[in-house]
Amino acid sequence: MMINVNGVPSETLENATIASLVVELGLQDTKGIAVAVNGAVEPRGGWATRKLAAGVEVLIIRATQGG
């Protein structure tokens, strides 16, 4: 199914969850990331159960040091 990840059209599996998308993108071991779906931040504890639908906008943000 097609979704948008950080503004880029991306193909992912049907019935994908946020957790499976994070693994698919190779970010599972990355510290300090946050995920929003259609503008709503999703708590990390719900990533395994939050299913994605075709056409959703996923924003993945990584915290960085600096100021």
Side-chain angles (χ1 to χ4, degrees):
M1 91 180 137
M2 291 300 295
I3 62 173
N4 288 302
V5 179
N6 293 356
V8 177
S10 302
E11 183 82 26
T12 192
L13 300 172
E14 293 292 328
N15 296 318
T17 63
I18 293 173
S20 69
L21 177 64
V22 167
V23 169
E24 186 177 333
L25 297 172
L27 300 172
Q28 67 274 13
D29 295 326
T30 304
K31 302 283 187 202
I33 63 171
V35 178
V37 178
N38 292 333
V41 175
E42 296 289 334
R44 187 176 289 262
W47 289 5
T49 57
R50 173 60 158 88
K51 293 195 177 193
L52 301 173
V56 297
E57 297 283 336
V58 178
L59 179 64
I60 300 175
I61 302 168
R62 183 172 181 196
T64 59
Q65 291 182 314

